[in-house]
Amino acid sequence: MKRVSWVSQAARIAWKDLHIEGRSREVVYTMGFMAALVVLVFSFAFISGQETTVGPDAVAGIMWVAVLFSGTVALSRTFDRERESEAIRSLLLSPVPRSAIYAGKLVATAAIMFLVEVLLAPLLAALFSAAIWPHALWLGLLLLLGTIGFCSVGVIFSAALLRARSRDALLGALLFPIVIPVLLSASRATAYLLDPAAPDLDPALFWTRFLAALDVVFVVVGLWSFEPVVMGE
Amino acid sequence: MSDRVLRLENVGKTFGRHRALAEVSLAFVPGQVAAVLGPNGAGKSTLLGLLSTLSQPSRGRITLGDEQLSRHSPMRAKIGYVGHEPGVYGDLSARQNLRLFASLYGIANGERCIDEMLARVGLDSVRREAAARTFSRGMLQRLALARALLHEPEILLFDEPGAALDPAGAAWLAGELQHEREAGRLVVLVTHDLAATAAIATHVVVLRRGRVARDETRASFSADEVRAIYQEATREKS
């Protein structure tokens, strides 16, 4: 047997999930539907008559609420394919380090979520006249960092609830309080970016850095804690 | 094939206050099919969980040759496991499943091994892109065996592999077990099927309430002998 690197094993697990999702598109469709629904409900509430401009704080909040709810849909499905037919046992018996399984799952889930978010942003721009284009790349980076932070915790809880009967209900209840710092920093940075009248972008830079630091902490904790969580003893 | 003995020394396993296994000392030898029998709740699946390294003993130790088996040990790459459930991805085809596991195990000449394995388990004629979820129970069990054998493990563990198989499938599986035994692999099989045990086992272990009630090795067992051993070992003592 050849020695397979940690990165290569993580990449294979991520590729397997993306390949399956590419075939079925189950998570992308359900997530996309959920995100669009959240945005539409907010548009019904905030837009009346000719008034279509909503403040950047509100748009940022709407965006991250949509990410939160639709992301929970994605996370609840993260280990479904491992649970079916007990494929998780085969994976855990393989010589793959459990941290590489975590990393693979994190990359695949974050990539799927990010794809939906990239499609969601123009919808927000169209419905709320949000200024997403002047700092589109930065906004993309924020979405990516926020998604990584959200998924890094979510994958752990999803694994912990692998065999729980009421996992869908429990996932949100456990996940939401922990990801508050991620959502807070992501929505604050987004609000500053979307504000065309903002005198400077220093606060956005501060919150982006804070979010990146949170990601590092959450990913390291996730890599360290995945094995005891998934082994369940 | 290796000649290392899989040994359990005073192994115990508790879940909270429930004692699933106590003072289990056994030796499984390569080239034998060991059948672990016992009533429900006797600790058979717990024992298999410990042997597979997916579970840790609460006390005692498990070794393969001189090396200790544990959750973190690279020894788990030497184990093949076939359970009630096939342990494969339903959304992937048979070939894609094997390709995934071949890459995770770092198997050299992966494609050639996959071709050979698919031919061996009779799945080479299945439509290439057919997802495993469309397979019959028997086909899934064949794929599960192919996945378990792909990396040429030293130890093969089976948890009720014949459950839900039709007679033809069960006969095929018995033939495969025989083949692995003759190849010198160490095979441990947990089952309720006493007749199937008699056909293939050379080592019978009966567990009762988490303890070894009987541990017997012979060149072969008849169905009556297995039944007698089982009944005697599991009889309630008044």
Side-chain angles (χ1 to χ4, degrees):
Chain A
M1 278 191 267
K2 295 179 290 191
R3 187 173 168 77
V4 188
S5 71
W6 185 94
V7 172
S8 167
Q9 286 175 318
R12 277 162 186 163
I13 288 166
W15 175 248
K16 177 264 301 169
D17 277 2
L18 292 171
H19 175 82
I20 292 174
E21 182 56 27
R23 240 188 192 188
S24 68
R25 292 178 198 162
E26 269 173 59
V27 178
V28 169
Y29 286 154
T30 48
M31 233 196 110
F33 178 74
M34 184 68 160
L37 198 65
V38 169
V39 171
L40 284 174
V41 168
F42 277 113
S43 76
F44 298 149
F46 287 133
I47 300 169
S48 59
Q50 297 300 307
E51 184 56 61
T52 57
T53 307
V54 176
D57 289 353
V59 176
I62 293 165
M63 175 187 277
W64 286 100
V65 166
V67 169
L68 180 73
F69 285 115
S70 60
T72 308
V73 171
L75 285 169
S76 67
R77 296 281 290 141
T78 300
F79 282 95
D80 269 12
R81 283 159 185 142
E82 272 71 23
R83 191 170 40 244
E84 284 172 24
S85 311
E86 279 287 308
I88 185 71
R89 194 192 49 230
S90 306
L91 209 51
L92 292 175
L93 267 175
S94 72
V96 181
R98 276 76 192 235
S99 56
I101 299 176
Y102 168 78
K105 284 284 173 192
L106 171 61
V107 168
T109 312
I112 293 166
M113 270 185 72
F114 185 66
L115 173 70
V116 174
E117 289 160 12
V118 166
L119 300 174
L120 179 72
L123 182 67
L124 280 162
L127 287 173
F128 300 102
S129 306
I132 65 164
W133 303 114
H135 303 291
L137 282 179
W138 194 338
L139 187 63
L141 175 69
L142 266 182
L143 282 169
L144 186 63
L145 290 174
T147 303
I148 291 171
F150 181 73
C151 288
S152 59
V153 182
V155 169
I156 291 290
F157 282 118
S158 191
L161 297 170
L162 190 66
R163 295 179 206 285
R165 225 175 288 171
S166 49
R167 56 187 163 273
D168 290 340
L170 282 171
L171 182 63
L174 292 169
L175 177 63
F176 293 171
I178 310 285
V179 294
I180 284 173
V182 170
L183 294 173
L184 177 78
S185 44
S187 56
R188 286 318 305 147
T190 308
Y192 284 113
L193 278 187
L194 295 181
D195 186 0
D200 62 64
L201 291 173
D202 286 351
L205 187 62
F206 166 77
W207 286 112
T208 306
R209 285 177 174 160
F210 186 72
L211 182 57
L214 279 176
D215 282 4
V216 171
V217 172
F218 282 159
V219 170
V220 169
V221 171
L223 288 167
W224 172 74
S225 61
F226 184 73
E227 175 162 6
V229 165
V230 78
M231 298 303 285
E233 281 187 16
Chain B
M1 211 56 64
S2 165
D3 56 358
R4 296 196 287 183
V5 175
L6 177 61
R7 210 176 289 278
L8 292 91
E9 294 168 31
N10 290 317
V11 168
K13 179 71 185 174
T14 51
F15 296 101
R17 295 176 65 184
H18 172 68
R19 190 188 62 191
L21 286 177
E23 295 165 28
V24 173
S25 293
L26 290 167
F28 297 109
V29 179
Q32 290 197 348
V33 173
V36 180
L37 309 172
N40 290 333
K44 302 184 298 295
S45 294
T46 304
L47 177 68
L48 218 55
L50 295 176
L51 295 179
S52 69
T53 73
L54 290 181
S55 184
Q56 293 273 76
S58 308
R59 68 189 75 81
R61 61 188 221 130
I62 305 173
T63 52
L64 179 63
D66 298 329
E67 293 180 76
Q68 187 155 355
L69 279 185
S70 75
R71 177 184 293 178
H72 306 284
S73 133
M75 299 290 286
R76 70 172 186 266
K78 300 190 181 301
I79 297 169
Y81 188 106
V82 180
H84 308 271
E85 297 293 333
V88 295
Y89 289 94
D91 295 287
L92 299 179
S93 68
R95 181 173 292 277
Q96 285 168 335
N97 266 293
L98 296 186
R99 198 175 282 151
L100 170 69
F101 285 102
S103 68
L104 295 179
Y105 278 90
I107 295 171
N109 300 319
E111 283 302 315
R112 191 173 54 78
C113 289
I114 290 166
D115 286 338
E116 285 172 7
M117 203 49 77
L118 286 173
R120 176 175 165 188
V121 299
L123 290 177
D124 51 339
S125 55
V126 173
R127 201 163 51 88
R128 277 180 89 91
E129 65 274 21
R133 70 168 72 255
T134 64
F135 288 6
S136 68
R137 176 76 199 178
M139 288 163 77
L140 279 174
Q141 209 61 338
R142 285 168 190 264
L143 180 56
L145 184 66
R147 181 200 36 77
L149 289 173
L150 192 65
H151 57 290
E152 299 194 347
E154 255 184 84
I155 305 171
L156 259 179
L157 305 175
F158 290 85
D159 190 4
E160 302 269 10
L165 283 184
D166 60 18
W172 169 81
L173 189 64
E176 290 300 318
L177 286 171
Q178 195 84 24
H179 180 269
E180 292 308 316
R181 189 187 79 184
E182 284 162 10
R185 225 183 286 278
L186 192 161
V187 182
V188 181
L189 164 74
V190 161
T191 183
H192 282 291
D193 189 342
L194 302 184
T197 300
I200 47 174
T202 51
H203 180 186
V204 170
V205 174
V206 185
L207 291 179
R208 182 170 170 270
R209 294 182 180 172
R211 292 176 184 273
V212 177
R214 196 75 181 260
D215 178 10
E216 210 154 309
T217 305
R218 295 182 194 171
S220 66
F221 289 90
S222 70
D224 287 342
E225 284 171 333
V226 172
R227 201 168 299 117
I229 290 170
Y230 182 82
Q231 282 172 351
E232 190 189 316
T234 56
R235 191 178 300 139
E236 292 288 337
K237 292 180 179 67
S238 54

